[in-house]
Amino acid sequence: MISRYKLYLYPFVTVFWIMSCLGFVDQQLIPPLEKLHNAILAACDLVIIVLGLLTLKQRGDMVVFWSYLIIGAISTLFLNHIGIFNLFNGTRDFLGLIFAVPILRWFMTCEYREEFKRLMDKTLTAWLWLQAFTITWQFIKYGAGDWGGGTMGHGASGMMSMSIYLISFFLIVRRWDSSQYFSSLWKNRMYIFLLYPSFLNETKVSFILLAAYFILLIKFDRHFLVKILYVLPVGVAVFIGLGSLYFSVTKQDPDEVLSVEFFEDYLYGQDLDNIIEVSMMIQDGTMDVDPREWWTVDIPRIAKLVLIAPELRDTEGGLLFGAGLGQFKGGTMSDVPRFARINEWLLNGSRPWIFFIIVQLGWIGYVWFVCLMVRNLWIRRSNYPLAHKVVTLLALAFLIIQFYDASLRSFNFDVLLFYMTLCMQLDSGTKQEAATDAQAYLT
């Protein structure tokens, strides 16, 4: 008879790898499969819901689940009068936030927890190598840009770059000797090498994470000032070298990209009125543009946060509860909500997380999210190597995501991140302490 552990494990691993690799497979290897893309993801979501409900044991996880349903129902059903199917469809984007932690916690507190952790560590390493292969493939075929989404496919470049840095750092600190900075870098050269795909997909966020990655590996003690005298020059030289490589690979002008005008245009737009006008013409059908070229008129991220406020004030949910769930879903398996149809010009393109969640659940939903993340990132005590530095890098990534993209709507991205936090929360050193912690988390 199959054990409960394997009964849960096999579907979980299958869904994780399907959702991680489906984009690359149906875009590059089996194009006819793209017709079934949404149906396959919907089937995976059903498996996640079943696993999530079966493992929803801890009180805090139940509070997260029920509070989300209450906020979602108030915003979607009672205030904005959107159908219950849209509530379910929109909830698919939040399954990782709701269920990734209870599912992972069940595996990491059961009697097979050590076996599961070994499996996950091997999975993370294999995942890094897969991104190196697929992003290199995409770069050779398409050049630097949004196609460099690795196994997730087109449009996932930002999420891939963040994941690569976080996973590499999480794995490297376990073998890190803080007293031997350069020799530790050499001993862990594989993880350093596996950072290179982030320079092939033109993601600007890589510069921030690259600097944070190597700075956090420095031991901040009373000898720090002495160490910085020889670490800093080498670090600056390496950073400049990698920066030059980045600009060479992506064929960009460093004077243009590093200018104040570029960042103003990137975040808010120097000709915002024209971008809005073109976006509305595309929506109205008065300008014929290839859907693949939509990103050329994408409204900048910060501008979206400003422009969405008056649109939300006209909804029943307002700024407090938003326009209801399902605004970024529909069109193939369900109808697109009226708010999304009217504001397609604004909702399409890049979607910072704060924009993504406020549109649907308003500021109430965003407060719910912040409370959830504080709970998941809070480390009471841990014997995990350099746990505080891993949390610092994770916190930086979460801060970037707020104004960068909606990576947190991806279940497998949430699994990767929350596995790291749970490892640190549940790692108390000895097996006896681990068993005690496991029991505490289940009660």
Side-chain angles (χ1 to χ4, degrees), residues 4-19:
R4 188 181 180 189
Y5 169 74
K6 291 184 177 179
L7 188 63
Y8 290 1
L9 181 68
Y10 294 154
F12 171 75
V13 172
T14 301
V15 164
F16 174 81
W17 280 113
I18 288 176
M19 299 185 83

Side-chain angles (χ1 to χ4, degrees), residues 81-261:
H81 311 291
I82 303 175
I84 193 169
F85 190 81
N86 289 96
L87 173 67
F88 169 77
N89 208 28
T91 294
R92 292 171 56 197
D93 285 329
F94 293 86
L95 292 181
L97 292 176
I98 299 170
F99 290 132
V101 168
I103 292 172
L104 287 169
R105 182 182 284 118
W106 187 89
F107 284 119
M108 297 175 71
T109 54
C110 72
E111 60 178 313
Y112 299 101
R113 54 184 169 270
E114 295 304 322
E115 178 183 330
F116 177 76
K117 287 166 69 175
R118 285 193 296 270
L119 173 65
M120 283 300 297
D121 290 346
K122 291 178 181 178
T123 297
L124 295 182
T125 304
W127 190 92
L128 284 177
W129 281 107
L130 269 176
Q131 305 320 312
F133 170 76
T134 53
I135 294 177
T136 301
W137 172 310
Q138 292 157 341
F139 172 74
I140 293 172
K141 190 171 182 179
Y142 303 104
D146 292 322
W147 272 104
T151 56
M152 291 288 290
H154 181 265
S157 55
M159 178 168 55
M160 280 300 115
S161 289
M162 281 189 286
S163 301
I164 287 169
Y165 280 97
L166 294 174
I167 293 171
S168 175
F169 191 82
F170 174 77
L171 294 174
I172 201 175
V173 296
R174 306 166 83 173
R175 297 155 43 94
W176 188 258
D177 183 355
S178 298
S179 62
Q180 302 291 330
Y181 188 86
F182 292 111
S183 62
S184 288
L185 285 178
W186 177 250
K187 290 177 182 177
N188 292 282
R189 56 190 178 276
M190 179 184 76
Y191 299 119
I192 305 298
F193 168 76
L194 289 172
L195 297 177
Y196 88 84
S198 67
F199 292 92
L200 302 181
N201 58 14
E202 205 180 42
T203 49
K204 280 75 176 177
V205 70
S206 297
F207 283 104
I208 301 173
L209 295 174
L210 175 69
Y213 185 102
F214 288 105
I215 290 173
L216 286 172
L217 289 175
I218 301 173
K219 185 178 181 180
F220 295 92
D221 56 14
R222 59 192 180 92
H223 302 296
F224 170 72
L225 291 178
V226 176
K227 293 178 182 178
I228 204 70
L229 291 177
Y230 61 87
V231 172
L232 185 59
V234 175
V236 170
V238 171
F239 192 78
I240 293 174
L242 291 174
S244 300
L245 176 64
Y246 170 84
F247 289 118
S248 175
V249 166
T250 59
K251 296 180 173 58
Q252 297 184 78
D253 182 0
D255 293 332
E256 179 184 341
V257 174
L258 298 177
S259 66
V260 175
E261 291 77 12

